[in-house]
Every structure is written in C-alpha cells, then in structure tokens.
Amino acid sequence: MNATQTKDRLYDQLAASLKNVSRAVGQTADLFEHLQTNLSAMRVLAGTHAAQ
C-alpha cells in the first residue's frame, strides 16, 4: 500500500469518525430536550404536591 492509499484510508476513517461524533452530538441534543421537558414536568409536580 503506498502513501497516498494510506492517507486516503485514514481520511475515510476520519470522515466516518466525524460522522459518528456528529450523530452522537445530535442524540445528546435530543436527550437534553427531553431532560428539559422532564425537569419542567417535575417542577409542576413538585408545585402541585407542595400545594396539597
């Protein structure tokens, strides 16, 4: 395998890794949105419970 082929293979691996990182960041953003919704619901529940 020559140097150009090795470099191309490494760039392909880098591209795949960046794609995986991008997907993971997107999933993390989605999870934070769910967390924000759940925390808001917990605030409402705590307020309702305290009012009882």
Side-chain angles (χ1 to χ4, degrees):
M1 184 178 283
N2 67 29
T4 301
Q5 290 172 325
T6 301
K7 184 174 73 171
D8 289 344
R9 183 179 52 82
L10 291 173
Y11 276 126
D12 288 342
Q13 289 176 355
L14 177 60
S17 293
L18 289 174
K19 185 187 244 185
N20 289 337
V21 168
S22 177
R23 185 175 57 245
V25 168
Q27 290 173 340
T28 301
D30 290 342
L31 289 172
F32 272 110
E33 285 182 30
H34 288 292
L35 176 62
Q36 190 173 17
T37 301
N38 288 340
L39 287 173
S40 178
M42 287 175 63
R43 271 190 229 103
V44 171
L45 178 61
T48 304
H49 180 69
Q52 291 179 348

